[in-house]
Amino acid sequence: MSKSPAPVLIAESCCPPLTDARIPADTALALAPAFKALGDPVRLQLMSMIASAPDGEACVCDLTPAFDLTGPTISHHLRTLREAGLVTAERRGTWVYYRAQAGLMRQLAGLLAVDALVS
Amino acid sequence: MSKSPAPVLIAESCCPPLTDARIPADTALALAPAFKALGDPVRLQLMSMIASAPDGEACVCDLTPAFDLTGPTISHHLRTLREAGLVTAERRGTWVYYRAQAGLMRQLAGLLAVDALVS
DNA sequence: CTTCTGCTTAGACGAGTGTCAACCTAGACT
DNA sequence: AGTCTAGGTTGACACTCGTCTAAGCAGAAG
């Protein structure tokens, strides 16, 4: 657990919207994996279930049965989200709990922000 | 041009944040392709260049030389963005101009929004 | 009409991805 | 010790993706 490759986190100062300035290649390279991780319906749902969980964390034992997929497959998707820096995992006794990383989510949301005026 | 498969657009009413409610499978299925399209560094930069262009549109002739890739490859990435519903293309004379679709961008940003209070 | 330029399409190839069955590890409990 | 359960890991498979070269198409300009 927690031996993910430590996704290159962008300077914590959050990102100017895509619409405001051209993204530097480095930033694109660092953030694309997070978008990529969200680019699968199963992972998008997993992310949603984790982020919206009552106490901010969800047990794998609750996530797995929600899909028509085998355990290993869900585990694989969770690992992808972990390696993208979107969630963290913590084992407590028998169960493993996943928690969303709000910082990165905010960073992505900030990138996509569009000034309502322009549109 | 414009013969893209018309990405299933979610009801225009925008999305409750991921953190608020569990995403329905249909919504995840419809929105995942957009995230997937942004999940490549080249496309993320292309999207940024288009969205931040002076008049809201960018000419392919300006986009292509910004990368160390062949024309067809850039064209392929632009098609992916088009089919994801993130941009639209318009030919004017010799050149083709791409424009960002603010609606979908806002939808994605809304999904990732995190209430500052919680976190 | 012919030619040139800007962009897209078609086909091919190696690399990556989603899925599964089989196996393995970590804790809890006898 | 042994056993059970929750998850993760491995290895395999078909499929998709990013990239290229080569060919095609649409306007503009001879």
Side-chain angles (χ1 to χ4, degrees):
Chain A
M1 212 70 47
S2 82
K3 64 171 172 180
S4 307
V8 188
L9 279 189
I10 289 300
E12 266 315 335
S13 65
C14 215
C15 24
L18 265 186
T19 47
D20 286 13
R22 223 170 105 173
I23 278 191
D26 317 5
T27 307
L29 212 67
L31 290 184
F35 283 118
K36 188 175 186 178
L38 293 174
D40 179 280
V42 173
R43 287 195 294 266
L44 200 48
Q45 282 186 85
L46 280 171
M47 195 66 204
S48 154
M49 295 172 72
I50 295 168
S52 70
D55 296 323
E57 63 182 11
C59 175
V60 176
C61 59
D62 291 329
L63 299 174
T64 305
F67 298 86
D68 207 17
L69 295 169
T70 64
T73 297
I74 297 299
S75 189
H76 160 71
H77 284 305
L78 287 173
R79 186 227 278 262
T80 301
L81 289 173
R82 235 186 303 141
E83 292 182 345
L86 284 164
V87 301
T88 54
E90 184 195 354
R91 163 161 231 140
R92 280 208 301 280
T94 308
W95 295 282
V96 177
Y97 295 89
Y98 278 77
R99 186 175 285 274
Q101 287 286 84
L104 182 49
M105 289 181 61
R106 257 193 292 268
Q107 216 168 123
L108 301 182
L111 257 194
L112 295 174
V114 180
D115 315 351
L117 307 177
V118 186
S119 166
Chain B
M1 215 68 49
S2 84
K3 66 171 170 179
S4 307
V8 188
L9 278 190
I10 289 298
E12 268 315 335
S13 66
C14 215
C15 24
L18 265 186
T19 47
D20 285 13
R22 224 170 104 170
I23 279 191
D26 317 6
T27 307
L29 211 67
L31 289 184
F35 282 117
K36 188 175 186 176
L38 293 174
D40 179 279
V42 173
R43 287 195 294 265
L44 200 48
Q45 282 187 86
L46 281 171
M47 195 66 204
S48 154
M49 295 172 72
I50 294 168
S52 69
D55 296 324
E57 64 182 11
C59 174
V60 176
C61 60
D62 291 330
L63 298 175
T64 305
F67 298 86
D68 207 17
L69 295 169
T70 64
T73 298
I74 298 298
S75 189
H76 160 72
H77 283 305
L78 288 172
R79 186 227 277 261
T80 301
L81 289 173
R82 234 186 304 141
E83 292 182 345
L86 284 165
V87 300
T88 55
E90 184 196 354
R91 163 161 232 141
R92 280 207 301 280
T94 308
W95 295 281
V96 177
Y97 295 88
Y98 278 78
R99 187 175 285 274
Q101 288 286 85
L104 183 49
M105 288 181 62
R106 258 193 290 269
Q107 216 169 118
L108 300 183
L111 256 194
L112 296 174
V114 180
D115 315 351
L117 306 178
V118 186
S119 167

